Amino acid sequence: MYIYIKQQGKVLKNIIENRKKFFELVVNQFKEVKVDSIIVVGSGSSYNAIMASKHFLQKILGIEVKIHFPYSFNCYEQVFSNNSLIIGISQTGSSTETVNALIKARGKGAHTLAITAYKDAYLAEVADKTLILACGDENSEFKTKGYTSTILTLLLIALEVGLSEQKISKDKYDEYIQELLRITDTYDKLIDKAIDWYTLNKNEFLEMDNTTVIGVGPNYGTALEASIKLIETNYFMSSSYELEEYLHGPNMALGDRSYIFYLLGEGKYHKKMEKLYKYTKNLTDYVYVIRNGENIGDRRSFSFNFTEYEDFSPLQYIVPFQILCYNRAEDLNFDLSKVRYPDFQCHMAIRK
């Protein structure tokens, strides 16, 4: 897992530098279909990556983007137009219900796109077009570079299609690409900083038995991903909330042993989250914040020169949690090379 965390900067830079070759297929599909809406289906980290990039897709392309869990899509969703593009995302390309979602969509006359890391995956066989997720092999159950690669892939679909269809100026496109490239150059320092942060708070982190992660907008996707990674790698329950939703009930569970993490980015919500962050510090000592800017002298605060482009910030904000998950599991001697319940996926037919 740590090897793949360390690879992220180079992997993402490669995707950006080869974007014209990688995304030509999608640009052409948008031209052919005249896409008027996008429905994206995926599970786990794929779903979280969609949540992290949805807003940018809508902003650049100016069309509606909906997200569905594959099983719910297959059982309940009925309405989409012949010009809808149904995108199924599965890094392995073997998620049963994501495969079934594209089969259903094609059967109803919609256009389909598979995003998977493997060109011979079952998901690719059932889609009109397949975009290869250029993250390389990730032989770990706990996806890290695949997660950030999926976010970047969706961001670049917006930019490449947006430029092709003149929904974004060349100057703005170049500005966005330069910022994405700058972000890829920060990973080594970001990972080192995350290791230092973990070390400073190690004793407290080892005592955790439940966590809450709060994010907004694109970083609600980060909150979802942080929680699922904590559950997968460290075997305790973690919950994730959008800021406003946390204020309407979940806050009642706060106690002096609550561990709570805030993703304090640069969005409109900044002041409101800062206010909540300060309030909860009066109720529990175990309040942590991931924030942009200089160190504020609090060891529980993770401060870094994050991007000020809110739509791109999930590419960076997840890294402290990736390190937390890996290091804590290692320190507790959890064997991440083994699946905890090896017969579970087969029993529930999760993969083809």
Side-chain angles (χ1 to χ4, degrees), residues 21-199:
K21 177 179 68 175
F22 290 157
F23 294 95
E24 181 181 9
L25 173 147
V26 181
V27 169
N28 290 337
Q29 188 174 28
F30 269 77
K31 287 178 181 177
E32 294 165 5
V33 174
K34 295 182 172 54
V35 175
D36 62 11
S37 65
I38 298 172
I39 297 173
V40 197
V41 295
S43 295
S45 292
S46 295
Y47 181 92
N48 302 338
I50 302 163
M51 186 63 71
S53 50
K54 166 189 172 179
H55 305 287
F56 191 70
L57 280 162
Q58 290 188 147
K59 179 168 75 175
I60 299 301
L61 299 181
I63 59 178
E64 184 177 31
V65 178
K66 293 182 178 179
I67 308 173
H68 292 291
F69 293 115
Y71 190 76
S72 294
F73 177 84
N74 294 334
C75 292
Y76 300 106
E77 293 303 317
Q78 303 296 330
V79 180
F80 41 88
S81 78
N82 289 339
N83 290 101
S84 294
L85 179 63
I86 315 300
I87 302 176
I89 303 180
S90 169
Q91 186 172 338
T92 64
S94 61
S95 296
T96 300
E97 292 302 330
T98 303
V99 170
N100 291 341
L102 294 196
I103 293 173
K104 172 182 175 176
R106 289 185 77 180
K108 288 184 172 290
H111 302 271
T112 58
L113 173 68
I115 299 179
T116 175
Y118 302 99
K119 64 181 180 180
D120 58 350
Y122 196 7
L123 187 67
E125 295 179 11
V126 302
D128 295 323
K129 307 284 186 182
T130 299
L131 174 61
I132 298 302
L133 183 64
C135 60
D137 288 335
E138 188 167 17
N139 298 314
S140 168
E141 287 293 312
F142 319 113
K143 307 307 182 189
T144 53
K145 68 173 181 175
Y147 170 73
T148 49
S149 295
T150 302
I151 294 174
L152 179 62
T153 293
L154 292 168
L155 297 176
L156 287 173
I157 286 175
L159 288 174
E160 294 305 313
V161 173
L163 182 66
S164 171
E165 299 191 353
Q166 299 182 325
K167 295 185 176 184
I168 182 175
S169 71
K170 182 62 164 58
D171 286 346
K172 194 65 177 175
Y173 169 90
D174 289 341
E175 175 190 327
Y176 282 139
I177 293 298
Q178 288 306 307
E179 180 61 16
L180 287 170
L181 284 169
R182 189 196 72 80
I183 288 170
T184 67
D185 290 333
T186 67
Y187 272 84
D188 287 344
K189 288 183 179 178
L190 181 53
I191 290 166
D192 289 343
K193 185 70 179 288
I195 293 170
D196 290 344
W197 177 68
Y198 174 82
T199 302

Side-chain angles (χ1 to χ4, degrees), residues 222-234:
T222 307
L224 291 170
E225 178 66 8
S227 283
I228 195 63
K229 279 293 171 291
L230 285 164
I231 295 168
E232 288 176 330
T233 59
N234 281 267

Side-chain angles (χ1 to χ4, degrees), residues 172-341:
K172 194 65 177 175
Y173 169 90
D174 289 341
E175 175 190 327
Y176 282 139
I177 293 298
Q178 288 306 307
E179 180 61 16
L180 287 170
L181 284 169
R182 189 196 72 80
I183 288 170
T184 67
D185 290 333
T186 67
Y187 272 84
D188 287 344
K189 288 183 179 178
L190 181 53
I191 290 166
D192 289 343
K193 185 70 179 288
I195 293 170
D196 290 344
W197 177 68
Y198 174 82
T199 302
L200 282 171
N201 296 283
K202 174 179 173 178
N203 291 338
E204 290 180 0
F205 287 153
L206 292 178
E207 294 297 318
M208 287 192 301
D209 58 8
N210 71 87
T211 60
T212 300
V213 189
I214 298 176
V216 183
N219 279 311
Y220 175 54
T222 307
L224 291 170
E225 178 66 8
S227 283
I228 195 63
K229 279 293 171 291
L230 285 164
I231 295 168
E232 288 176 330
T233 59
N234 281 267
Y235 316 138
F236 62 74
M237 287 307 300
S238 177
S239 55
S240 47
Y241 294 97
E242 189 268 348
L243 172 60
E244 186 65 25
E245 287 308 297
Y246 180 75
L247 307 180
H248 292 264
N251 59 298
M252 297 299 182
L254 266 172
D256 60 7
R257 288 293 303 169
S258 296
Y259 281 73
I260 186 164
F261 294 82
Y262 292 100
L263 296 159
L264 187 59
E266 294 298 315
K268 298 175 183 178
Y269 63 87
H270 185 97
K271 289 184 179 178
K272 192 168 193 175
M273 187 174 282
E274 184 97 51
K275 187 176 183 180
L276 177 62
Y277 162 66
K278 290 178 179 178
Y279 180 86
T280 51
K281 286 181 74 175
N282 296 319
L283 303 178
T284 173
D285 289 334
Y286 308 109
V287 181
Y288 307 87
V289 61
I290 316 298
R291 67 190 310 151
N292 190 30
E294 298 298 319
N295 195 307
I296 61 173
D298 179 353
R299 64 175 169 81
R300 297 188 179 100
S301 172
F302 184 95
S303 301
F304 190 77
N305 182 27
F306 289 110
T307 179
E308 294 185 1
Y309 291 65
E310 184 183 11
D311 292 303
F312 299 165
S313 62
L315 292 169
Q316 294 178 307
Y317 274 63
I318 191 58
V319 172
F321 292 100
Q322 292 174 340
I323 292 298
L324 166 58
C325 291
Y326 173 77
N327 282 12
R328 186 178 186 276
E330 283 289 297
D331 285 334
L332 291 174
N333 296 315
F334 296 152
D335 187 351
L336 297 184
S337 68
K338 295 181 180 178
V339 178
R340 196 175 194 196
Y341 302 113

